Amino acid sequence: MWFSFWRPRDRFSLDELRYLTDQLQKVRIINEVNKDFVVEALRSIAELITYGDQHDSSFFDFFMEKQVMGEFVRMLQMSKSMIISLQILQTLSIMIQNLRTEHAIYYMFSNEYINFLITYKFDFRNEELLSYYMSFLRAISGKLNKNTISLLVKTQNEDIVSFPLYVEAIRYAFHEESMIRTAVRALTLNVYHVGDGPVNRFVSKAPYDGYFSDLISFFRKQCIDLNGLVSEIPQKTEPDRTTAILAAVDEIEDNLYYFSDVISAGIPDVGRLITDNILQLLILPLLLPSLRLDALKESPIGPVTSLYLLCCILRIVKIKDLSNAIAAALFCPLEAFLPYAEPKVNGHVTNGNCHESHHQLENNNAAVDEQLGVTTELSTSHVYPEDVTKQVSSTRSLHGLRDILLSYVVSGNSQLVMGSLNVLATLLQTKAVAELDEAMLDALGILPQRKQHKKLLLQALVGEGLGEEQLFSPESCSTKDGISNEIGGYLQRLKEDYGVACSSSEFGKSSRTHRFQVLDALVSLFCRPGVPAEILWDGGWLLRQLLPYSEAEFNSQHLKLLKDSYRDCCNALVKETRGTWPDLLVTVLSDEWKKCKRAIEASSPRKEPKCILLPLQKSSSDDVHNDSSVSYGEKMCEQVKVFVLLHQLQIFCLGRALPEQPPFYPPADTPGASRARTAGIDGSIPKPGTELRLVDTVPCRIAFERGKERHFSFLAISIGTSGWILLLEEFPQKQQYGVVRVTAPLAGSSPRIDEKHPKWLHLRIRPSTLPFVDSGRPAALGTPRKAKPKTLVDGRWTLAFRDEESCKYALSMLLEEIDLQSNEVERRLRPMLNLDEPPATETHFGPPSASSSTVTSTSSTT
């Protein structure tokens, strides 16, 4: 007897399942003595049923025969211990997730045990228990299809009257724990995508249709919280603030993707509910009114956050009616949104006079403009057509939201410019996926030229009205009536369903007028000083989308403004050849040329909308008192980016194709009489340890450490666009030869003789390369750097010579070599500085003979 009792059983056997079931059936009370056994038995049964489902059907037959599910329920009702509840939920979750046969799933769902467990009153004060419960519900939803879902609902007259799985899950849709919210969303998506008609009607009618309005209200609160992070005065360090913003952005975009997934289930009533709630609770009362400058203090959301959210909604939530409603609302006057913008936090609406409220907001404009960095008058260097000037020169005279977007492009700060460009780009991309009507883009003035011509050609071919006349007419590209008829339906719906009225004067204008307003704003942007270059590249991308082939729609004022700005950039670039980093100028130009070409010819914008929100990277060049070479290098790179964009736009205006490489002259041969050739340098970078001839060198002393003065021979050389300062030590055994011990860049050395000690020569020694150029490229605008680059500082040398003449000679040597280096850089850049001449093909362009004779005569005086 005892031997049979101790005989080991096969763990994965029917005997083991029978034994565990018998032991559970004998349990009449659960206490501290048998609690652990019950937990282990529940866990083991889950393993055995999963194993049997895949290997031996008799396991599940026994499970059904003995009504083991009933034993689970009895254990739950009998126990007051939290650990038993946890184990039962975990056991059932494991079983349901791993069961593969339809027979097993049908049995699990066909009795009322599952619904009983779903509606059981667990003590959810324990957060861990709630997590297990949601995993249990999610596991059930993962097995839903049109057949199994009917086992979990109760119907009456072919209508569902009870669906515990869905009803209990959405109770926790807005739980503070993100994992709980994620589980609820996964469950609801599983329900929606079953495609069962009665279930679809159940979820989209009262009272459960309130879930969708609650969903948008919860999302609205998240948007307001995001704005708090964006607009607050930074109290944290910048990386911490950026991390907080990115975390909030991820949550918001996850919500929007959830909306998109719900819509993709194809339930018409649900799509309508989401559209209506987004418009009524978010877009019309909050986001669109927040675009106005004077709403900064009145609205819980600022313009920058509003622009970002509009981009995300248009990009992610792909509902045609929603996209067109947002686009149509851009034509509405600001006053149309005042009834939406007036409700206070407590939900009460003020009864004040709208005109008085508007007048009070106008009085606050000056302070708001200053805070946002938006000027109320355009630069006097810009010339605009009279009708455009009236619309975009002052935000106070603007009433349409579309005009406000253009005013931000013309005179907003960097974030507002980036946000407005992103909205326009997103509208274009929304058309690419067929959510936005072409007529809407045409009315907004951002229909690409090729699509506009295709549309008019089609109208001409089918004999519609003035299609042929418009196609070949340079004066008008579409009629007022055409635009009005196309978008009138959306405007009428805004008025009837949402109470937002738009006068016909805005959208009744020809699309050509609107198109020129957009082009004018972009040209103004390209001519604005102080705008980060990568934002200008975004404007270049939008321009190329609108005008992909030629300058046909530029007027003479546009061309003049672009050419004047290009000439200013050319002059600035010439100054850089005499600046601190001329040796890197050709390299940086080549790199930025390729990047800019890729950026403006790409099929979509380079940056995601969240870049609008992130703090702009502050470079050392932003500090006006910073005189470091790295600061000058950052300014040079920024100047090069602007120059490259304007240069490529000029090529575009001339009707030429953009070359893959910028047009440089090839490197010149180094003259034989140069100091570099005389010293024996073959063109490679002279490294420490290189042996050179001591010709034209000057003896000097320098102390790199306190109290340790060393003697060197000083030499400055230039080879093409490169140049170095060399300190050499003489070879005692080899006369007139020395070995290089120290090298430093020639450019940016800023040599000067000490005023009190005429034998001393002061040099600034800059880094050999810029940190962001060396690593490939700086972080994209509005994005955080993954690692803070190593801070580079300038060195300072003080060289002591034996007499004043030697010191002056060393200075003249430096200035001559710097001049030769700068001349070569400027010569190589010459094709880029004069677009009126065809690109040159010379293979040799040596330095002027005068410079060579100067070097020779100077050498003879040594």
Side-chain angles (χ1 to χ4, degrees), residues 594-631:
K594 291 179 283 188
K595 293 173 187 175
C596 183
K597 185 176 186 295
R598 285 197 302 266
I600 66 176
E601 292 182 348
S603 59
S604 60
R606 299 171 302 126
K607 300 188 291 292
E608 295 183 359
K610 63 184 174 183
C611 294
I612 303 169
L613 302 175
L614 300 179
L616 298 179
Q617 287 290 336
K618 292 185 177 180
S619 65
S620 56
S621 61
D622 295 333
D623 186 357
V624 295
H625 302 293
N626 192 340
D627 193 41
S628 70
S629 61
V630 173
S631 173

Short mmCIF file of all heavy atoms in Angstrom, two decimals, residues 594-631:
data_model
loop_
_atom_site.label_atom_id
_atom_site.label_comp_id
_atom_site.label_asym_id
_atom_site.label_seq_id
_atom_site.Cartn_x
_atom_site.Cartn_y
_atom_site.Cartn_z
N LYS A 594 24.38 67.92 -50.87
CA LYS A 594 23.70 66.64 -51.04
C LYS A 594 22.53 66.50 -50.07
O LYS A 594 21.47 65.97 -50.44
CB LYS A 594 24.71 65.50 -50.85
CG LYS A 594 25.74 65.41 -51.99
CD LYS A 594 26.73 64.30 -51.79
CE LYS A 594 27.78 64.68 -50.76
NZ LYS A 594 28.87 63.68 -50.67
N LYS A 595 22.73 66.95 -48.84
CA LYS A 595 21.64 66.85 -47.86
C LYS A 595 20.45 67.72 -48.25
O LYS A 595 19.28 67.30 -48.15
CB LYS A 595 22.15 67.25 -46.48
CG LYS A 595 23.18 66.30 -45.89
CD LYS A 595 23.75 66.86 -44.61
CE LYS A 595 24.90 66.02 -44.09
NZ LYS A 595 25.54 66.61 -42.90
N CYS A 596 20.74 68.94 -48.70
CA CYS A 596 19.66 69.85 -49.08
C CYS A 596 18.93 69.31 -50.31
O CYS A 596 17.69 69.37 -50.37
CB CYS A 596 20.23 71.24 -49.35
SG CYS A 596 18.98 72.48 -49.75
N LYS A 597 19.65 68.79 -51.25
CA LYS A 597 19.02 68.24 -52.46
C LYS A 597 18.10 67.08 -52.10
O LYS A 597 16.97 66.97 -52.60
CB LYS A 597 20.10 67.79 -53.45
CG LYS A 597 19.56 67.30 -54.80
CD LYS A 597 20.70 66.97 -55.74
CE LYS A 597 20.19 66.61 -57.14
NZ LYS A 597 19.40 65.37 -57.14
N ARG A 598 18.58 66.20 -51.22
CA ARG A 598 17.73 65.09 -50.78
C ARG A 598 16.50 65.60 -50.04
O ARG A 598 15.41 65.05 -50.19
CB ARG A 598 18.53 64.14 -49.88
CG ARG A 598 19.50 63.25 -50.62
CD ARG A 598 19.93 62.08 -49.76
NE ARG A 598 20.55 62.52 -48.51
CZ ARG A 598 21.85 62.67 -48.33
NH1 ARG A 598 22.68 62.43 -49.34
NH2 ARG A 598 22.33 63.06 -47.17
N ALA A 599 16.70 66.64 -49.23
CA ALA A 599 15.61 67.15 -48.41
C ALA A 599 14.50 67.75 -49.25
O ALA A 599 13.32 67.46 -49.04
CB ALA A 599 16.13 68.18 -47.41
N ILE A 600 14.84 68.58 -50.23
CA ILE A 600 13.79 69.28 -50.97
C ILE A 600 13.22 68.42 -52.09
O ILE A 600 12.14 68.72 -52.61
CB ILE A 600 14.30 70.63 -51.53
CG1 ILE A 600 15.38 70.43 -52.59
CG2 ILE A 600 14.79 71.52 -50.42
CD1 ILE A 600 15.84 71.71 -53.24
N GLU A 601 13.92 67.34 -52.46
CA GLU A 601 13.39 66.45 -53.49
C GLU A 601 12.76 65.19 -52.92
O GLU A 601 12.29 64.32 -53.66
CB GLU A 601 14.51 66.05 -54.46
CG GLU A 601 15.02 67.21 -55.32
CD GLU A 601 16.10 66.78 -56.30
OE1 GLU A 601 16.61 65.65 -56.15
OE2 GLU A 601 16.43 67.57 -57.20
N ALA A 602 12.71 65.07 -51.59
CA ALA A 602 12.14 63.89 -50.96
C ALA A 602 10.63 63.84 -51.20
O ALA A 602 9.98 64.84 -51.48
CB ALA A 602 12.43 63.91 -49.46
N SER A 603 10.07 62.65 -51.05
CA SER A 603 8.63 62.49 -51.25
C SER A 603 7.83 62.96 -50.05
O SER A 603 6.62 63.18 -50.16
CB SER A 603 8.31 61.02 -51.53
OG SER A 603 8.74 60.20 -50.45
N SER A 604 8.46 63.12 -48.91
CA SER A 604 7.78 63.58 -47.71
C SER A 604 8.75 64.41 -46.87
O SER A 604 9.97 64.32 -47.06
CB SER A 604 7.26 62.39 -46.89
OG SER A 604 8.34 61.55 -46.50
N PRO A 605 8.23 65.23 -45.96
CA PRO A 605 9.12 66.05 -45.12
C PRO A 605 10.06 65.18 -44.30
O PRO A 605 9.75 64.03 -43.96
CB PRO A 605 8.13 66.83 -44.22
CG PRO A 605 6.84 66.81 -44.96
CD PRO A 605 6.81 65.52 -45.71
N ARG A 606 11.20 65.75 -43.96
CA ARG A 606 12.24 64.98 -43.27
C ARG A 606 11.92 64.72 -41.81
O ARG A 606 12.31 63.70 -41.26
CB ARG A 606 13.58 65.75 -43.34
CG ARG A 606 14.08 65.99 -44.74
CD ARG A 606 15.27 66.94 -44.71
NE ARG A 606 14.94 68.20 -44.09
CZ ARG A 606 15.60 68.74 -43.08
NH1 ARG A 606 16.62 68.11 -42.57
NH2 ARG A 606 15.24 69.90 -42.57
N LYS A 607 11.22 65.66 -41.16
CA LYS A 607 11.03 65.59 -39.72
C LYS A 607 9.59 65.28 -39.36
O LYS A 607 8.67 65.65 -40.08
CB LYS A 607 11.47 66.89 -39.06
CG LYS A 607 12.92 67.24 -39.31
CD LYS A 607 13.34 68.43 -38.47
CE LYS A 607 12.68 69.72 -38.93
NZ LYS A 607 13.17 70.13 -40.25
N GLU A 608 9.40 64.62 -38.24
CA GLU A 608 8.07 64.34 -37.75
C GLU A 608 7.51 65.59 -37.07
O GLU A 608 8.27 66.45 -36.61
CB GLU A 608 8.11 63.18 -36.76
CG GLU A 608 8.53 61.86 -37.40
CD GLU A 608 8.49 60.71 -36.41
OE1 GLU A 608 8.16 60.96 -35.22
OE2 GLU A 608 8.80 59.58 -36.81
N PRO A 609 6.17 65.68 -36.96
CA PRO A 609 5.57 66.88 -36.37
C PRO A 609 6.02 67.18 -34.95
O PRO A 609 6.01 68.34 -34.52
CB PRO A 609 4.06 66.57 -36.41
CG PRO A 609 3.91 65.62 -37.55
CD PRO A 609 5.16 64.78 -37.54
N LYS A 610 6.46 66.16 -34.19
CA LYS A 610 6.84 66.43 -32.80
C LYS A 610 8.03 67.37 -32.68
O LYS A 610 8.26 67.95 -31.62
CB LYS A 610 7.13 65.11 -32.07
CG LYS A 610 8.30 64.32 -32.62
CD LYS A 610 8.43 63.00 -31.88
CE LYS A 610 9.50 62.11 -32.49
NZ LYS A 610 9.57 60.79 -31.83
N CYS A 611 8.79 67.54 -33.76
CA CYS A 611 9.90 68.48 -33.72
C CYS A 611 9.42 69.91 -33.46
O CYS A 611 10.19 70.75 -33.00
CB CYS A 611 10.68 68.43 -35.04
SG CYS A 611 11.52 66.87 -35.33
N ILE A 612 8.14 70.18 -33.77
CA ILE A 612 7.59 71.51 -33.53
C ILE A 612 7.65 71.85 -32.04
O ILE A 612 7.88 73.00 -31.66
CB ILE A 612 6.13 71.58 -34.01
CG1 ILE A 612 6.03 71.22 -35.49
CG2 ILE A 612 5.50 72.93 -33.74
CD1 ILE A 612 4.60 70.99 -35.96
N LEU A 613 7.47 70.84 -31.20
CA LEU A 613 7.32 71.08 -29.76
C LEU A 613 8.64 71.15 -29.02
O LEU A 613 8.73 71.77 -27.96
CB LEU A 613 6.49 69.95 -29.14
CG LEU A 613 5.09 69.73 -29.71
CD1 LEU A 613 4.48 68.49 -29.06
CD2 LEU A 613 4.21 70.94 -29.45
N LEU A 614 9.66 70.49 -29.55
CA LEU A 614 10.90 70.33 -28.78
C LEU A 614 11.68 71.63 -28.75
O LEU A 614 11.69 72.38 -29.73
CB LEU A 614 11.74 69.22 -29.39
CG LEU A 614 11.06 67.85 -29.43
CD1 LEU A 614 11.98 66.83 -30.08
CD2 LEU A 614 10.69 67.40 -28.03
N PRO A 615 12.33 71.89 -27.63
CA PRO A 615 13.16 73.10 -27.56
C PRO A 615 14.23 73.08 -28.65
O PRO A 615 14.86 72.05 -28.89
CB PRO A 615 13.80 73.02 -26.16
CG PRO A 615 12.93 72.07 -25.40
CD PRO A 615 12.37 71.10 -26.40
N LEU A 616 14.40 74.20 -29.32
CA LEU A 616 15.41 74.28 -30.37
C LEU A 616 16.79 74.17 -29.76
O LEU A 616 17.06 74.69 -28.68
CB LEU A 616 15.27 75.60 -31.13
CG LEU A 616 13.94 75.81 -31.86
CD1 LEU A 616 13.94 77.16 -32.55
CD2 LEU A 616 13.70 74.71 -32.88
N GLN A 617 17.67 73.48 -30.48
CA GLN A 617 19.04 73.32 -30.01
C GLN A 617 19.73 74.68 -29.95
O GLN A 617 19.74 75.42 -30.92
CB GLN A 617 19.82 72.39 -30.94
CG GLN A 617 19.43 70.94 -30.82
CD GLN A 617 19.87 70.33 -29.50
OE1 GLN A 617 20.81 70.81 -28.88
NE2 GLN A 617 19.18 69.30 -29.06
N LYS A 618 20.26 75.00 -28.79
CA LYS A 618 21.00 76.25 -28.65
C LYS A 618 22.47 75.99 -28.95
O LYS A 618 23.10 75.15 -28.32
CB LYS A 618 20.85 76.81 -27.24
CG LYS A 618 19.44 77.30 -26.93
CD LYS A 618 19.37 77.95 -25.57
CE LYS A 618 17.98 78.51 -25.27
NZ LYS A 618 17.90 79.15 -23.95
N SER A 619 22.96 76.69 -29.92
CA SER A 619 24.37 76.53 -30.27
C SER A 619 25.17 77.62 -29.61
O SER A 619 24.64 78.63 -29.14
CB SER A 619 24.55 76.59 -31.79
OG SER A 619 24.21 77.88 -32.26
N SER A 620 26.48 77.42 -29.57
CA SER A 620 27.34 78.43 -28.96
C SER A 620 27.32 79.72 -29.75
O SER A 620 27.65 80.78 -29.24
CB SER A 620 28.77 77.89 -28.86
OG SER A 620 29.24 77.50 -30.14
N SER A 621 26.89 79.65 -31.03
CA SER A 621 26.84 80.86 -31.84
C SER A 621 25.70 81.78 -31.43
O SER A 621 25.66 82.94 -31.82
CB SER A 621 26.68 80.49 -33.32
OG SER A 621 25.48 79.79 -33.54
N ASP A 622 24.74 81.26 -30.62
CA ASP A 622 23.65 82.11 -30.16
C ASP A 622 24.13 83.14 -29.15
O ASP A 622 23.46 84.14 -28.93
CB ASP A 622 22.55 81.24 -29.52
CG ASP A 622 21.89 80.32 -30.53
OD1 ASP A 622 21.88 80.69 -31.72
OD2 ASP A 622 21.40 79.26 -30.14
N ASP A 623 25.28 82.89 -28.52
CA ASP A 623 25.83 83.82 -27.54
C ASP A 623 26.65 84.88 -28.27
O ASP A 623 27.70 84.58 -28.85
CB ASP A 623 26.70 83.06 -26.54
CG ASP A 623 27.20 83.94 -25.40
OD1 ASP A 623 26.90 85.16 -25.43
OD2 ASP A 623 27.88 83.41 -24.51
N VAL A 624 26.16 86.11 -28.24
CA VAL A 624 26.83 87.18 -28.98
C VAL A 624 28.21 87.46 -28.42
O VAL A 624 29.06 88.04 -29.09
CB VAL A 624 25.97 88.46 -28.98
CG1 VAL A 624 24.68 88.23 -29.73
CG2 VAL A 624 25.67 88.92 -27.55
N HIS A 625 28.44 87.09 -27.18
CA HIS A 625 29.74 87.35 -26.55
C HIS A 625 30.70 86.19 -26.72
O HIS A 625 31.83 86.25 -26.25
CB HIS A 625 29.55 87.63 -25.06
CG HIS A 625 28.63 88.80 -24.77
ND1 HIS A 625 28.96 90.10 -25.11
CD2 HIS A 625 27.40 88.84 -24.22
CE1 HIS A 625 27.97 90.91 -24.74
NE2 HIS A 625 27.00 90.18 -24.21
N ASN A 626 30.27 85.14 -27.39
CA ASN A 626 31.11 83.97 -27.57
C ASN A 626 32.01 84.20 -28.78
O ASN A 626 31.55 84.32 -29.91
CB ASN A 626 30.23 82.73 -27.79
CG ASN A 626 31.04 81.45 -27.70
OD1 ASN A 626 32.26 81.45 -27.85
ND2 ASN A 626 30.36 80.35 -27.47
N ASP A 627 33.32 84.25 -28.53
CA ASP A 627 34.29 84.53 -29.59
C ASP A 627 35.09 83.28 -29.93
O ASP A 627 36.16 83.37 -30.53
CB ASP A 627 35.23 85.66 -29.14
CG ASP A 627 36.03 86.22 -30.30
OD1 ASP A 627 35.46 86.38 -31.39
OD2 ASP A 627 37.23 86.48 -30.11
N SER A 628 34.59 82.10 -29.58
CA SER A 628 35.35 80.88 -29.84
C SER A 628 35.26 80.49 -31.30
O SER A 628 34.33 80.86 -32.02
CB SER A 628 34.81 79.73 -28.96
OG SER A 628 33.54 79.33 -29.41
N SER A 629 36.22 79.70 -31.73
CA SER A 629 36.23 79.25 -33.13
C SER A 629 35.08 78.29 -33.40
O SER A 629 34.55 78.26 -34.52
CB SER A 629 37.57 78.57 -33.44
OG SER A 629 37.76 77.43 -32.62
N VAL A 630 34.68 77.50 -32.42
CA VAL A 630 33.55 76.60 -32.61
C VAL A 630 32.28 77.40 -32.87
O VAL A 630 31.44 77.03 -33.70
CB VAL A 630 33.38 75.67 -31.40
CG1 VAL A 630 32.11 74.84 -31.51
CG2 VAL A 630 34.59 74.73 -31.26
N SER A 631 32.13 78.51 -32.17
CA SER A 631 30.98 79.38 -32.41
C SER A 631 30.98 79.90 -33.83
O SER A 631 29.95 79.88 -34.53
CB SER A 631 31.00 80.55 -31.41
OG SER A 631 30.00 81.49 -31.72
#
